[in-house]
Amino acid sequence: MAAIYEFLRQFIIGLANDGIIHYTFSYAFVANAFVCALFIGPLLGGIGTMVVIKRMAFFSQAIGNAALTGVAIGVVIGEDYTAPYASMFSFCILFALFLNFTKNRTKMSSDTLIGVFLSISLAIGATTLLWVSARVNTHILDTVMFGSILTVNDTDMSVLLVTSLITAAVALPLYNRMLLASLNPSLAHVRGINVHLLEYVFVLLITILTVACVKIVGAVLVEALLLIPAAASRNLNRGIRGFVAWSVIFSTASCVIGIWAPMRFDLPIPSGGAIILTAAMIFLATMIIRMALPRYREASV
Amino acid sequence: MHGPSITFEDVSLDLGNTSVLSGINFGIRAGEIHCVVGANGGGKTSLIRSMLGQMPHKGNISIEWHDNRTIGYVPQSLDFDKTLPVRVIDFIGMTCQRRPVFTGISSAKRGVVDSVLERVGMAGKKNSMLGSLSGGERQRVLFAQAMIPEPSLLVLDEPMTGLDPDGKAIIEAAIVEFTTAGGTAVWINHDIAQVYEIAQAMTYIDREILLDGNPREVLTTGVASQLFPSLDLLGSATRDAS
């Protein structure tokens, strides 16, 4: 894998050296982050449409918070504190499965239950992180919470690549089924769809995607990248095709611009913040377009 | 086509501390329109969902299938966010194909999707947002998806809700044609005159079975006149028929 990453890095650096793209991409760490952006941008944009349709925006926020706890556990058990993936994946997956199990058992509405779990995960994460903060450089915590392209290495890229491939391989063939299951579970069941199993699959996909993106976007902000591009796309589209396509475009553009802009303009902001601010500007632009164009006019109440 | 026959043997359903269905015994014959009738909250939808394997019922529901085991299901309504960017064609696509619907309808399905939408009078609205349709139009779309792939059993939960007279006529004709071709239709129906007119069998449920049989026979009993105070409607239907 290292050879492939090196090839991609050298390709991007070559483009930068030839003046085809901005010179900041000639730095290896920027090239790394750019490759990661090209992995996660389309994927987060595509999966984000499903998150919006299934009204699970706050679920990924809860997982992001759980990732903080995962990091703290990693520090406690002696994992490399710059990349405690084993702890993050394990804790977040258990957390997600327990949340979904509870949702199925209690039949409580998603927003109520996710709100409860979100608070719990934030409380546990904050408590454990403060507890272990004496053991680590506190800048590591900034990295986990808000993302940092400076620390992205080959391991992070491998985690992202494998996660992206798994997510795409599972989500694409199941996209229609997941969609139908969220629109009408009873109809989906008659069509031979295992609605509960698909729910668990989707929850797991969001979980591994969220954890894999922590390094780039940050645990606190990864939920926003699942949500904002899809919400912006929803502002402008009336069909699934445009909804997914524009969500992917907005998400990828946000990632690329969010990595490039702070370098280009010497802005002292973390990559996660820049990515989300870019996505937010796109969202505002789509809101203005929606309000301005008569074709989007609809009932006011 | 050869639709299935269905037998309910001592079926009961308790949800929480509430008895929803009790002592349900009846049969649905193959190739017939069998209407399930009853007051609101009487357990009609629960009965159908028990039949579809979606309820923790007790007792035995056996379906005698033949070669085609496809069920076409028309749910009572589609409860979803009306602003979702889902077109009619997207909805039909997601129910009948594996290929992600955002890549379009597969060429293998395009013909049948178009013809089914044409059949229910929705071909001209296939690119409309699902949320922008009227309730009746949405019912037509729900009926259309149930016909792909071709079912041998149609299960309809109040498919006429919100439909205009044209829509009712289209759906009614399609159901009659379906059973004439051998399919079995189980239909929750509140329109007792329509039940009288076109159903070969009916079952009235209010937690338990109060009437069961051929509508032309059971609707002339004393129990029926108590259950349907507006039986004069039925009288006019009978006069029209004669």
Side-chain angles (χ1 to χ4, degrees):
Chain A
M1 293 307 284
I4 296 172
Y5 301 143
E6 190 53 35
F7 171 77
L8 288 172
R9 260 194 299 271
Q10 290 309 321
F11 179 70
I12 293 166
I13 290 169
L15 290 177
N17 288 338
D18 293 343
I20 297 169
I21 55 176
H22 196 261
Y23 78 92
T24 48
F25 286 95
S26 62
Y27 299 118
F29 70 90
V30 180
N32 275 351
F34 185 65
V35 171
C36 290
L38 294 180
F39 286 157
I40 62 171
L43 209 57
L44 287 174
I47 292 287
T49 58
M50 193 65 78
V51 170
V52 167
I53 289 173
K54 292 172 90 71
R55 302 179 196 186
M56 288 185 68
F58 287 112
F59 173 78
S60 52
Q61 176 73 65
I63 297 300
N65 292 345
L68 296 178
T69 313
V71 171
I73 292 171
V75 172
V76 170
I77 65 174
E79 257 195 286
D80 173 11
Y81 58 74
T82 60
Y85 283 117
S87 303
M88 277 201 291
F89 275 113
S90 309
F91 182 76
C92 290
I93 286 173
L94 285 175
F95 182 84
L97 291 177
F98 183 57
L99 196 164
N100 206 49
F101 175 80
T102 312
K103 183 171 149 248
N104 286 341
R105 292 293 154 147
T106 60
K107 300 289 178 198
M108 214 179 271
S109 73
S110 288
D111 64 332
T112 306
L113 198 66
I114 292 173
V116 170
F117 273 73
L118 192 147
S119 313
I120 293 171
S121 66
L122 186 59
I124 298 174
T127 308
T128 45
L129 269 180
L130 283 176
W131 182 52
V132 300
S133 60
R135 298 192 191 192
V136 294
N137 181 344
T138 49
H139 285 302
I140 294 301
L141 304 183
D142 292 348
T143 302
V144 173
M145 285 198 277
F146 304 112
S148 168
I149 58 170
L150 292 169
T151 56
V152 173
N153 55 29
D154 282 4
T155 307
D156 301 321
M157 290 169 77
S158 293
V159 169
L160 260 183
L161 178 64
V162 171
T163 306
S164 303
L165 290 176
I166 291 173
T167 309
V170 174
L172 283 174
L174 295 177
Y175 191 88
N176 292 353
R177 291 166 167 245
M178 289 181 182
L179 207 56
L180 185 59
S182 63
L183 287 183
N184 193 306
S186 182
L187 178 56
H189 176 266
V190 173
R191 292 259 170 195
I193 297 169
N194 189 331
V195 177
H196 286 309
L197 180 65
L198 272 196
E199 225 169 76
Y200 276 104
V201 169
F202 185 68
V203 157
L204 285 176
L205 289 183
I206 296 292
T207 304
I208 61 171
L209 205 52
T210 302
V211 173
C213 293
V214 158
K215 265 293 187 65
I216 297 286
V217 195
V220 176
L221 295 172
V222 65
E223 170 250 358
L225 200 53
L226 274 167
L227 182 63
I228 299 177
S233 177
R234 182 173 161 167
N235 274 338
L236 301 182
N237 289 288
R238 289 163 175 267
I240 285 282
R241 181 187 289 236
F243 182 37
V244 173
W246 281 104
S247 180
V248 166
I249 291 168
F250 290 157
S251 174
T252 310
S254 302
C255 287
V256 172
I257 295 171
I259 286 167
W260 167 78
M263 303 290 299
R264 172 70 181 79
F265 301 108
D266 287 332
L267 301 173
I269 54 175
S271 54
I275 288 170
I276 302 308
L277 286 174
T278 309
M281 280 189 267
I282 293 173
F283 178 77
L284 285 176
T286 60
M287 279 289 293
I288 292 166
I289 292 170
R290 189 179 173 90
M291 286 189 286
L293 295 185
R295 64 181 289 216
Y296 296 112
R297 195 166 295 144
E298 56 197 356
S300 56
V301 180
Chain B
M1 190 196 338
H2 202 159
S5 56
I6 304 163
T7 311
F8 292 75
E9 287 173 308
D10 203 20
V11 173
S12 62
L13 174 67
D14 298 317
L15 294 177
N17 291 325
T18 310
S19 169
V20 181
L21 296 170
S22 171
I24 303 291
N25 287 287
F26 74 105
I28 295 171
R29 285 185 294 273
E32 289 192 348
I33 295 176
H34 191 118
C35 286
V36 179
V37 186
N40 293 336
K44 304 181 297 296
T45 297
S46 296
L47 179 81
I48 277 192
R49 293 192 64 191
S50 297
M51 187 182 84
L52 295 171
Q54 298 176 354
M55 285 286 184
H57 67 272
K58 291 179 189 146
N60 187 32
I61 302 174
S62 56
I63 304 181
E64 204 66 37
W65 292 103
H66 299 279
D67 47 345
N68 180 358
R69 288 176 162 241
T70 307
I71 301 173
Y73 175 50
V74 182
Q76 204 166 17
S77 63
L78 206 53
D79 181 24
F80 72 109
D81 179 353
K82 304 284 186 291
T83 64
L84 277 183
V86 176
R87 296 177 196 268
V88 169
I89 196 78
D90 296 331
F91 176 68
I92 300 285
M94 80 177 76
T95 60
C96 72
Q97 69 177 30
R98 285 244 174 159
R99 172 176 144 177
V101 74
F102 58 80
T103 63
I105 299 289
S106 67
S107 52
K109 298 280 182 191
R110 208 166 294 152
V112 67
V113 168
D114 284 345
S115 79
V116 166
L117 285 174
E118 185 79 47
R119 177 79 200 270
V120 297
M122 290 299 290
K125 293 210 169 183
K126 69 178 182 182
N127 288 317
S128 299
M129 267 176 80
L130 208 52
S132 71
L133 301 181
S134 69
E137 287 173 325
R138 219 170 293 135
Q139 285 304 116
R140 293 186 191 210
V141 173
L142 279 174
F143 186 82
Q145 64 76 31
M147 301 308 283
I148 311 172
E150 187 185 44
S152 63
L153 171 63
L154 256 185
V155 180
L156 309 116
D157 193 348
E158 301 184 40
M160 302 299 192
T161 308
L163 278 173
D164 57 17
D166 279 354
K168 281 184 181 172
I170 288 171
I171 302 294
E172 185 181 301
I175 296 169
V176 170
E177 188 184 311
F178 170 76
T179 50
T180 306
T184 307
V186 183
W187 177 359
I188 295 181
N189 195 340
H190 281 297
D191 184 347
I192 198 65
Q194 188 178 44
V195 172
Y196 187 86
E197 279 295 303
I198 66 169
Q200 284 83 44
M202 66 165 276
T203 304
Y204 187 103
I205 290 177
D206 189 4
R207 200 177 73 85
E208 56 192 14
I209 293 177
L210 300 184
L211 289 173
D212 181 44
N214 185 319
R216 294 190 177 251
E217 292 165 8
V218 297
L219 287 176
T220 55
T221 62
V223 179
S225 59
Q226 284 177 354
L227 293 172
F228 305 108
S230 57
L231 261 180
D232 53 326
L233 271 178
L234 195 60
S236 67
T238 318
R239 282 193 297 277
D240 291 346
S242 62

